[in-house]
Amino acid sequence: MNPESQALPSPNRGPGRRSVLATSPVILPWATLRLAGRFVLPLALWYTVGQALRYALFYSGYRFGLHNAVVPVFVMSFTVMVTLSVTVLMVHSVKDGLPAVREHELDESLASWAVQDEETIVDALARALLPFMIFYLAWNWFVDDARAYAQSVTGRGFGEQGFGGQMDALKSIGALERHLYIAIALTVAFLIAKFVAERVVEPRWARAGGVLIAFCEVNWTLFGLFTVNQARNAGTGWLQGRVAWGWLADLTGPLFGWVSALWPSVKEAVLGSLVWLVIAGVILGVDAAEEAALGSGRLARRIIAASGMDKPRTPLEVLTRELRDKWLPTVYGVRMVIRAGILPFGVFCALFTGLEVAADLAQRGVYDLLGPHPVGWWEARLSIVDFGVGFVHQALRVCLLAAAFDLVVARVNARKRDRSATGPSASSTSAISPAARS
């Protein structure tokens, strides 16, 4: 037997096969489950803390919101802060199980790392909370928190005072719409506070400044919604009542119906998954600034000039900020997907969307498994079922996001190494080939 053939590695085993398997999207479900099993204790801790804080906020909102129209909005702002903080802490707690992220080797043309090797959990929270807040508000994901708060308040009102208590709780939620001057004043106040925090507090105290800016951001956004939605709803109603709108609907036929039926699914399954992948990267330490999202090409330079990004706090930059906050993370996600490959992102989208559906089915399955019981029996157990299913769903969701981003980083690094290895080897081969032939 040829000794050289014995020295060659087998194609079915060895480091080459392990490296290929490590960057294959097939391992994504297993990587998710492995992270969830390894870090189940910190995940359970942070989720429990978050649920306890949400319960305290919802209870306070019910007790004090019946007599003060501003309380529900403040409760919502703190609820959003708790939701985002817990997500950041849960993702950060599984960071030690991500080998590609720990190496901090990502193509600088795609993104740079914004963290040090020994970043504390407080530093991670202060760094990632503000960009996460901007993404969360721009995509209106706080609606789920608002819906949970409304269900909690109305359910508590019905449980304590019957139908009358439920109606009082509903009135307290919408009371601010009848006092728009309060909403306008608080919108301006929090906008000024955000400006002061950016200019004065953050340069001196980075940790406190980041959290304060995030708090002002969520409050001026939520209070501003009450002032803007009234005019927007009136304008939308006026437009849809025009004869031209009916003509346009007749001209396009069923196209509007198809778009309105398909767009929410596409938005959440594809675009939402892209943005959540970017959020995972931001939490884990990637710098996803606007310039990084656009790149450095000619088109990027034109977009920067047209949107006023090169001139901060100008009227043009302020007017285009909302669109940039919503869509530039998607652009950055597309660049990551192109670098890493479409197939891993397709697997991630299927798992991410399927996990949302599976959570609802699992909750209903638990109800069916427990069987029919009197209302009093369910009142003591509904919260336990919700907590258990919610924890499993959130833990798997966080681990899937972390594992997917780690896979993206590993694939981008592998392709970068392949390109760098191919260039010198090709040139050296061409240099020695004449001598070999002679």
Side-chain angles (χ1 to χ4, degrees):
M1 183 179 295
N2 189 356
E4 295 182 357
S5 63
Q6 295 179 352
L8 294 176
S10 172
N12 295 325
R13 61 181 184 270
R17 180 177 176 82
R18 288 197 297 269
S19 63
V20 171
L21 185 61
T23 58
S24 172
V26 177
I27 69 168
L28 196 54
W30 165 246
T32 301
L33 294 175
R34 180 178 57 83
L35 284 175
R38 178 180 174 183
F39 298 100
V40 61
L41 291 180
L43 291 173
L45 170 64
W46 292 123
Y47 183 80
T48 304
V49 171
Q51 291 301 303
L53 292 175
R54 283 171 66 95
Y55 177 84
L57 287 170
F58 288 175
Y59 183 80
S60 302
Y62 172 74
R63 288 299 175 194
F64 302 104
L66 296 176
H67 310 290
N68 196 321
V70 180
V71 169
V73 181
F74 275 117
V75 170
M76 271 306 305
S77 67
F78 280 109
T79 301
V80 171
M81 292 283 289
V82 168
T83 300
L84 302 190
S85 300
V86 169
T87 303
V88 171
L89 296 173
M90 291 179 72
V91 173
H92 189 270
S93 65
V94 303
K95 189 175 181 179
D96 290 339
L98 307 175
V101 170
R102 291 203 312 269
E103 292 178 1
H104 284 185
E105 295 179 0
L106 189 62
D107 192 347
E108 291 292 333
S109 63
L110 180 61
S112 59
W113 292 97
V115 300
Q116 303 297 326
D117 292 335
E118 299 298 331
E119 185 184 42
T120 65
I121 199 166
V122 178
D123 292 333
L125 183 61
R127 176 185 53 78
L129 187 58
L130 180 58
F132 191 1
M133 180 77 67
I134 293 174
F135 299 159
Y136 200 79
L137 295 176
W139 283 87
N140 293 329
W141 286 330
F142 63 89
V143 173
D144 294 334
D145 295 314
R147 187 179 300 113
Y149 172 68
Q151 291 175 352
S152 174
V153 170
T154 55
R156 187 174 295 277
F158 181 79
E160 293 187 0
Q161 302 179 19
F163 184 73
Q166 185 179 25
M167 295 304 298
D168 291 338
L170 285 173
K171 292 178 181 179
S172 69
I173 294 174
L176 192 61
E177 297 181 359
R178 299 187 295 271
H179 303 84
L180 284 181
Y181 65 93
I182 300 178
I184 295 173
L186 289 174
T187 301
V188 175
F190 278 109
L191 187 59
I192 295 174
K194 176 175 176 279
F195 178 80
V196 173
E198 288 176 342
R199 291 296 185 91
V200 179
V201 180
E202 189 179 26
R204 299 181 181 179
W205 304 283
R207 290 181 179 177
V211 176
L212 181 59
I213 293 172
F215 179 72
C216 296
E217 179 80 26
V218 66
N219 275 285
W220 91 264
T221 301
L222 292 178
F223 280 110
L225 286 176
F226 288 96
T227 62
V228 174
N229 278 346
Q230 300 299 316
R232 184 171 59 182
N233 292 337
T236 302
W238 179 87
L239 179 62
Q240 293 179 350
R242 301 303 96 187
V243 177
W245 183 266
W247 292 346
L248 182 62
D250 295 337
L251 181 64
T252 57
L255 180 61
F256 274 179
W258 295 342
V259 171
S260 62
L262 294 177
W263 171 245
S265 300
V266 173
K267 177 182 176 183
E268 294 300 326
V270 180
L271 299 181
S273 300
L274 271 175
V275 178
W276 272 108
L277 193 62
V278 175
I279 289 173
V282 170
I283 296 173
L284 293 170
V286 167
D287 183 11
E290 292 178 329
E291 291 79 4
L294 288 173
S296 57
R298 180 182 301 176
L299 179 60
R301 292 194 298 269
R302 290 180 178 178
I303 294 176
I304 290 173
S307 61
M309 289 170 53
D310 53 343
K311 298 177 181 178
R313 298 183 180 86
T314 58
L316 179 60
E317 190 270 338
V318 174
L319 288 175
T320 60
R321 186 177 297 172
E322 182 177 356
L323 287 175
R324 299 198 321 269
D325 291 342
K326 187 170 185 177
W327 293 110
L328 284 186
T330 309
V331 175
Y332 180 70
V334 170
R335 294 180 65 220
M336 284 200 305
V337 167
I338 292 175
R339 295 288 185 90
I342 300 297
L343 182 58
F345 178 69
V347 175
F348 167 67
C349 283
L351 293 174
F352 190 79
T353 307
L355 190 59
E356 302 300 316
V357 178
D360 296 334
L361 294 178
Q363 191 169 22
R364 183 176 294 273
V366 172
Y367 294 154
D368 293 339
L369 182 63
L370 294 176
H373 293 281
V375 175
W377 188 90
W378 279 111
E379 287 181 353
R381 292 165 177 83
L382 274 178
S383 57
I384 300 176
V385 174
D386 293 342
F387 180 88
V389 175
F391 166 66
V392 174
H393 170 232
Q394 184 66 7
L396 291 177
R397 191 167 181 251
V398 163
C399 293
L400 175 61
L401 287 170
F405 183 76
D406 188 71
L407 178 63
V408 167
V409 174
R411 289 178 67 91
V412 172
N413 291 343
R415 293 189 175 189
K416 180 183 177 182
R417 287 192 294 267
D418 290 342
R419 287 195 303 267
S420 61
T422 303
S425 62
S427 60
S428 61
T429 302
S430 62
I432 65 174
S433 56
R437 286 194 298 268
S438 63

